[in-house]
Amino acid sequence: MTDQTPLIEVKNLTMAYGDFIIQKDITFSVIKGSILTIMGESGCGKSTLLRHLTGLKSPAAGNIFFSGTDFWHCSHKTQVQLLQRCGVLYQSGALWSSMSIGENIALPLRQFTKLSQDEIHDLVELKLALVGLKGFSDYLPAAISGGMRKRAGLARAIALDPDILFFDEPSAGLDPISSSMLDDLILELRDSLGATVIIVTHELPSIFALADDSIFLDTESRTMLATGDPKILATESDSIKVRKFLSRNSSSFKNGAHSS
Amino acid sequence: MNKECSLTTSQEDNILCLRFSGSWTIRDKQCQQLDLNKILLGKIQGLTFNTTDLTKWDSRMLVTLVNVIQTANAKSIPVHEEGLPAGIRNLLQLTRKKVLTPPQNRTNNAGFFTFIGLQSSIFVKQVLQHLAFTGKIFLSYMRFYSGQARFLKRDLSYFLFDCGPKALPIVTLIAFLVGFTLAFIGAVQLQMFGADIFVANLVGLTMVREMGPMMAAIIMAGRTGAAFAAQLGTMQVNEEIDALQTMGLNPFDFLVLPRMTALVIMMPMLAVWADLVGILGGFFIGVFSLDISPNLYFQQTVKAIHLNHFMVGIIKSFFFGYIIAFCGCLKGMSCGRSADAVGKSTTSAVVSSIVFIVIADALFTFFFNLIGI
């Protein structure tokens, strides 16, 4: 993991819904095998940025490169190939509710590989065991708890052994213990799969536990305020807003942000 | 203990003092309101508060204070809050803090012409959306025929079963009653001419050409079209469709294709079944109420209906199936991301499919009339 070549590069990205610009001029890169967190206040466009990175929404301007390939300016076939290198864990898990947990994980394997039923079955069991859900294969998503659904979603995200993993607020709605267990799981999976991880979150414990690198999106200036290791940013960032975000200093944060 | 709340004023050197006393909570009786505009007139150069007799307060008092302070501010009268309890002062401070500014709502306070313009642009957008959806369906079927479409065979068989056999009981009931009613109404009129036997023609032709396909379609719009919209809408809310897309699976092939195929295959079959059951309903009236012999009724029906008439019904119901699946899937796939949006898209799927079915039916009737079938 000492390879310093960027796996994902975002250049001058502008995101907009119609005329409404959410964020502009976002530029950053993610080094292979590292964990990047996308931070910012609620509503600053973190999840929208994730939708751009996972091919759900096209940028208003700018480019996104996956190992040098411009995602939004290449053929549909290449896009699908690139997407298959990615795994995404959605905020709610987004398991397909009409299928059992096992079938959810098996679906990408059935569609994109030529493995036999037995091999797929074994793989599903393995992925479930990796996320600590051994024996839950026949349960429907509605029958398990929120935390378990996230784990099952994670098992599905890693079904095709992706080299890029995206997480949309993994700890949202989880108690502190479950969420720190999920953080540990993310770290272990990163280390063992050698994956590159991008996490959208505003949970400070997760940010400090996981991130090698981070970017901070600002609602007011509609652009990126800072980039770097959050542990360093917390004390040394040029932006008072970033320092306060990372030290959870909300009262002075608001005063600082709105002083005239 | 709880004294009734009261608000009195006193004035000294052009400084108005508002004296709050008693208990000011939302559970207390209504207390007298001051006409602020009258009190804060002209010469007053300052506003102070006295709360030494205040026993209890909550947001009731806060609301009153906010009004007073706003009125005073509007008249540029300086307000001295020192006399208020510290808790209230803090809360007032909090209400004044501008944390977030809501984005400008462009449709708010729009004039009549803006409204017309917005509505027309929404209409144009919807037309374009329908066209785009048709194009996507076409492309999806191209992939289906070239064997590139990825979907679950299990889904297809599930929807075939759901749109066919599972819908039979309700289609049977409705079609039987429609045939029954047609025969009853027809019989009353035809009896006047002694032409009872032509009830068989009336029921047979109406069921096969019009009512069979139409009733089956309306039932399926309410039953299956709504279900499609609700299923896809909920998947949209739960990010399940996003999950398919990021996995490189085309949600269109995966979700719309099996639903549409199943309904288009099953709709003509349901229509033919509805035709037959409707004729049976008419037969029931003819034989038991008009005393036509069963054999004669049967002969007369067979004489009245040609294969062409069946074909008219079958062609129609094929298109009705397409319309229902189209509306259901379109509304589901374009659903917003809230529970409310799912409800709206379900309703709109049913309404628009019924509207389109009736329009299509009228066009077909006109067209078949033109070519003389």
Side-chain angles (χ1 to χ4, degrees):
Chain A
M1 294 308 118
T2 46
D3 194 355
Q4 290 292 305
T5 51
L7 187 61
I8 302 171
E9 276 182 285
V10 175
K11 283 186 183 159
N12 303 320
L13 179 74
T14 298
M15 310 188 285
Y17 283 109
D19 300 336
F20 184 70
I21 290 178
I22 298 162
Q23 290 282 330
K24 54 182 187 284
D25 284 331
I26 299 177
T27 302
F28 64 92
S29 56
V30 192
I31 290 160
K32 196 163 180 290
S34 67
I35 297 182
L36 173 107
T37 53
I38 302 172
M39 317 179 286
E41 300 159 68
S42 304
C44 68
K46 299 188 294 288
S47 296
T48 310
L49 177 56
L50 198 70
R51 288 177 66 81
H52 282 77
L53 292 171
T54 53
L56 292 171
K57 193 172 182 335
S58 57
N63 309 77
I64 297 169
F65 297 91
F66 285 95
S67 5
T69 316
D70 187 343
F71 183 85
W72 289 104
H73 298 94
C74 65
S75 71
H76 180 69
K77 208 175 158 189
T78 322
Q79 283 187 338
V80 172
Q81 279 168 356
L82 286 175
L83 283 177
Q84 279 169 23
R85 290 174 51 193
C86 303
V88 188
L89 173 61
Y90 291 88
Q91 211 174 105
S92 59
L95 295 166
W96 298 304
S97 47
S98 61
M99 302 177 201
S100 71
I101 304 296
E103 287 172 318
N104 261 285
I105 302 164
L107 181 73
L109 292 167
R110 289 218 176 92
Q111 295 294 327
F112 297 118
T113 64
K114 295 197 169 63
L115 298 169
S116 72
Q117 289 297 337
D118 288 344
E119 284 170 304
I120 288 178
H121 176 82
D122 293 347
L123 271 173
V124 168
E125 290 301 320
L126 170 78
K127 305 284 167 174
L128 280 174
L130 276 179
V131 299
L133 281 182
K134 206 170 177 172
F136 280 90
S137 171
D138 293 331
Y139 283 72
L140 281 174
I144 59 174
S145 76
M148 289 174 170
R149 244 172 284 173
K150 285 221 166 135
R151 283 169 177 263
L154 180 54
R156 187 183 65 185
I158 58 170
L160 291 168
D161 293 86
D163 49 359
I164 307 165
L165 273 169
F166 293 98
F167 294 87
D168 190 3
E169 304 204 6
S171 37
L174 292 187
D175 62 275
I177 294 175
S178 307
S179 94
S180 87
M181 276 162 66
L182 195 66
D183 289 348
D184 293 344
L185 188 60
I186 293 172
L187 273 178
E188 274 170 34
L189 288 174
R190 191 274 302 258
D191 292 343
S192 38
L193 296 172
T196 309
V197 180
I198 294 179
I199 307 173
V200 166
T201 185
H202 43 221
E203 298 278 329
L204 291 179
S206 297
I207 292 172
F208 289 122
L210 296 174
D212 300 320
D213 202 353
S214 67
I215 61 168
F216 185 92
L217 302 183
D218 181 33
T219 327
E220 262 184 300
S221 59
R222 302 208 180 289
T223 189
M224 213 166 87
L225 271 192
T227 169
D229 185 336
K231 290 175 213 73
I232 298 170
L233 286 181
T235 50
E236 290 172 20
S237 171
D238 301 335
S239 159
I240 187 162
K241 203 167 180 179
V242 176
R243 288 205 307 270
K244 281 174 176 167
F245 179 93
L246 286 170
S247 57
R248 204 166 187 268
N249 195 341
S250 76
S251 59
S252 46
F253 172 62
K254 269 161 197 159
N255 289 340
H258 294 272
S259 59
S260 47
Chain B
M1 174 80 193
N2 277 359
K3 275 204 294 176
E4 275 193 20
C5 59
S6 72
L7 175 54
T8 50
T9 56
S10 58
Q11 205 170 333
E12 208 173 286
D13 299 336
N14 285 342
I15 303 283
L16 185 75
C17 178
L18 292 182
R19 189 184 176 88
F20 289 86
S21 56
S23 160
W24 278 76
T25 69
I26 42 176
R27 282 182 185 74
D28 288 313
K29 269 197 288 175
Q30 184 74 39
C31 48
Q32 96 270 16
Q33 290 292 321
L34 296 174
D35 190 346
L36 296 168
N37 282 319
K38 247 181 214 165
I39 303 168
L40 296 172
L41 261 180
K43 280 167 267 165
I44 292 167
Q45 278 155 10
L47 189 60
T48 57
F49 301 95
N50 184 335
T51 53
T52 41
D53 294 334
L54 188 68
T55 51
K56 247 177 158 184
W57 61 270
D58 66 2
S59 36
R60 170 94 165 268
M61 174 144 166
L62 208 60
V63 168
T64 316
L65 278 172
V66 167
N67 281 335
V68 170
I69 293 171
Q70 268 174 3
T71 321
N73 284 344
K75 293 173 190 286
S76 358
I77 298 169
V79 179
H80 307 285
E81 291 177 5
E82 293 77 27
L84 293 171
I88 292 188
R89 282 207 306 267
N90 286 341
L91 287 173
L92 283 172
Q93 196 60 37
L94 214 56
T95 59
R96 271 183 286 242
K97 208 182 250 178
K98 203 173 179 188
V99 179
L100 296 169
T101 29
Q104 272 191 330
N105 196 348
R106 273 170 290 175
T107 53
N108 217 4
N109 299 327
F112 176 69
F113 290 106
T114 321
F115 177 76
I116 299 275
L118 279 176
Q119 291 300 317
S120 337
S121 74
I122 289 173
F123 178 75
V124 171
K125 261 185 206 149
Q126 277 182 344
V127 171
L128 290 177
Q129 191 192 23
H130 279 73
L131 287 177
F133 203 74
T134 314
K136 281 184 187 168
I137 289 172
F138 179 77
L139 288 177
S140 184
Y141 272 100
M142 286 292 109
R143 286 192 292 274
F144 179 55
Y145 289 123
S146 61
Q148 288 174 332
R150 292 175 192 276
F151 63 93
L152 296 181
K153 308 259 174 331
R154 194 189 68 180
D155 273 358
L156 181 60
S157 58
Y158 170 80
F159 287 118
L160 279 170
F161 184 69
D162 189 64
C163 299
K166 271 191 160 178
L168 277 182
I170 178 96
V171 171
T172 309
L173 176 73
I174 303 286
F176 184 84
L177 290 179
V178 168
F180 188 90
T181 316
L182 274 176
F184 223 59
I185 295 195
V188 176
Q189 302 298 318
L190 292 170
Q191 260 176 340
M192 291 195 278
F193 307 101
D196 302 17
I197 184 64
F198 287 103
V199 165
N201 295 45
L202 175 84
V203 173
L205 277 177
T206 319
M207 281 315 295
V208 170
R209 289 189 66 122
E210 283 296 328
M211 294 315 273
M214 184 88 150
M215 291 322 288
I218 288 177
I219 293 163
M220 293 309 277
R223 188 187 171 277
T224 307
F228 286 176
Q231 286 160 2
L232 299 181
T234 314
M235 291 186 80
Q236 191 74 265
V237 174
N238 291 341
E239 301 177 303
E240 291 176 43
I241 294 182
D242 288 353
L244 279 173
Q245 212 165 336
T246 39
M247 209 154 256
L249 289 167
N250 188 327
F252 222 84
D253 296 356
F254 202 81
L255 301 170
V256 177
L257 204 63
R259 284 175 172 79
M260 183 159 269
T261 312
L263 197 55
V264 167
I265 291 175
M266 279 305 168
M267 219 36 230
M269 300 198 198
L270 283 176
V272 171
W273 174 253
D275 296 347
L276 299 177
V277 175
I279 291 172
L280 191 71
F283 176 84
F284 200 72
I285 290 293
V287 172
F288 292 106
S289 172
L290 302 175
D291 289 330
I292 303 169
S293 89
N295 199 19
L296 189 63
Y297 191 97
F298 178 73
Q299 297 284 336
Q300 188 69 20
T301 307
V302 171
K303 243 194 287 172
I305 308 170
H306 301 291
L307 193 60
N308 275 349
H309 297 139
F310 264 110
M311 286 317 292
V312 167
I314 289 173
I315 291 171
K316 273 186 188 177
S317 58
F318 177 80
F319 280 95
F320 291 167
Y322 172 77
I323 289 172
I324 297 166
F326 181 91
C327 292
C329 294
L330 169 71
K331 300 295 174 183
M333 294 295 275
S334 56
C335 178
R337 286 171 186 266
S338 67
D340 180 49
V342 175
K344 274 190 189 139
S345 72
T346 312
T347 315
S348 122
V350 176
V351 173
S352 56
S353 27
I354 291 180
V355 169
F356 284 129
I357 285 167
V358 175
I359 292 175
D361 190 59
L363 290 177
F364 271 120
T365 309
F366 180 71
F367 172 72
F368 285 126
N369 199 23
L370 210 66
I371 62 171
I373 298 178

